[in-house]
Amino acid sequence: PSMVDIQLSLMSSLSAEHTPTGSISWLAAGINIEDSQDLVREAVHQLPTYPTATQKANIIAKQLTLQSKVQRHQDEADSFMDGVDILEHCRPYEPMDNTGLLHSFDCNSDPMDAEELDEEDEYIIGGEEVEEVVPHEDICISMPSRLKLGRGTNLGLGHLVEEELQLRRGQANDSLAKLQAALGNLAILYRQNLQSANSVHSETRARKAI
């Protein structure tokens, strides 16, 4: 079943003991936000070294949209996480992306001669420490899965942990379905274009398409 199917199933079987209401929709929204973060990181990664104004504007628009979603999700976190401070109990954030491959992006990229980065990722400007701003695509949003193993149950959030686990299974099913469709499309391109190529030029063009 897809994540939407599982979400509907969970909502239809919701018992009165599950409080506050709306937790399943909140969890599903969090998973979708994480997917949006991946897309924004990918868009930033694909920026050329010297992006055009239009490319910068597109990235900013995506980041602002993401910022609104993240802020709304974080504002609702207290009511669903029973006031648990996610930063106090969460696992260390380990991004999957190789940040060394990401292009730096700043519309007003004026170098600050008087700054240096210390070991705690804080800027030192004129003797004052200024905490580095984390892009919204890299923010660790409040989700039960961010808690240390077993911590969610100990904090009385066992129902949220179980609901998220089921939604994650649906997310995995969705990803596998997309992968299967992509592989099917590649197989069609291979069969229709590459195998029927009758010259080096057409074969090269077919390989690029694949």
Side-chain angles (χ1 to χ4, degrees):
S2 67
M3 192 176 82
V4 173
D5 292 333
I6 293 177
Q7 181 180 353
L8 291 174
S9 176
L10 288 172
M11 294 175 70
S12 62
S13 61
L14 192 65
S15 67
E17 297 177 356
H18 286 205
T19 55
T21 58
S23 61
I24 297 171
S25 296
W26 178 76
L27 289 169
I31 293 174
N32 290 329
I33 288 173
E34 290 177 344
D35 290 340
S36 297
Q37 288 178 312
D38 292 338
L39 293 176
V40 172
R41 276 196 298 268
E42 181 182 1
V44 173
H45 171 63
Q46 292 177 346
L47 278 175
T49 305
Y50 302 102
T52 65
T54 300
Q55 290 171 326
K56 291 180 180 181
N58 289 337
I59 291 294
I60 290 176
K62 292 178 180 179
Q63 289 176 325
L64 289 176
T65 300
L66 178 61
Q67 176 182 352
S68 176
K69 293 179 180 179
V70 169
Q71 188 61 55
R72 183 166 58 251
H73 180 83
Q74 302 293 67
D75 289 343
E76 296 173 349
D78 282 347
S79 60
F80 294 109
M81 299 283 287
D82 293 338
V84 173
D85 185 353
I86 193 71
L87 296 179
E88 179 182 352
H89 300 282
C90 74
R91 295 179 287 109
Y93 178 61
E94 298 177 356
M96 299 298 293
D97 299 324
N98 183 349
T99 54
L101 299 177
L102 300 179
H103 297 294
S104 60
F105 170 63
D106 188 353
C107 288
N108 301 312
S109 54
D110 297 327
M112 292 183 290
D113 298 331
E115 74 177 25
E116 60 181 271
L117 195 61
D118 69 2
E119 295 180 354
E120 297 181 354
D121 292 336
E122 292 181 344
Y123 287 108
I124 301 177
I125 305 177
E128 296 183 0
E129 293 184 355
V130 180
E131 186 176 352
E132 184 181 13
V133 177
V134 179
H136 281 81
E137 60 267 27
D138 293 331
I139 287 179
C140 175
I141 65 172
S142 297
M143 293 289 283
S145 56
R146 294 306 309 166
L147 297 172
K148 297 176 182 177
L149 186 62
R151 192 63 175 166
T153 302
N154 295 338
L155 294 171
L157 303 175
H159 65 285
L160 279 181
V161 173
E162 179 59 30
E163 288 169 354
E164 184 185 356
L165 177 59
Q166 295 190 49
L167 290 172
R168 293 288 185 183
R169 288 170 179 162
Q171 181 191 30
N173 291 337
D174 291 342
S175 297
L176 289 174
K178 292 177 182 178
L179 179 60
Q180 185 179 22
L183 291 174
N185 290 334
L186 286 177
I188 293 174
L189 288 174
Y190 179 83
R191 184 169 59 252
Q192 290 183 345
N193 298 340
L194 189 59
Q195 289 186 338
S196 61
N198 53 13
S199 67
V200 175
H201 176 70
S202 59
E203 181 179 347
T204 301
R205 186 171 56 185
R207 289 187 181 277
K208 288 183 178 180
I210 295 175

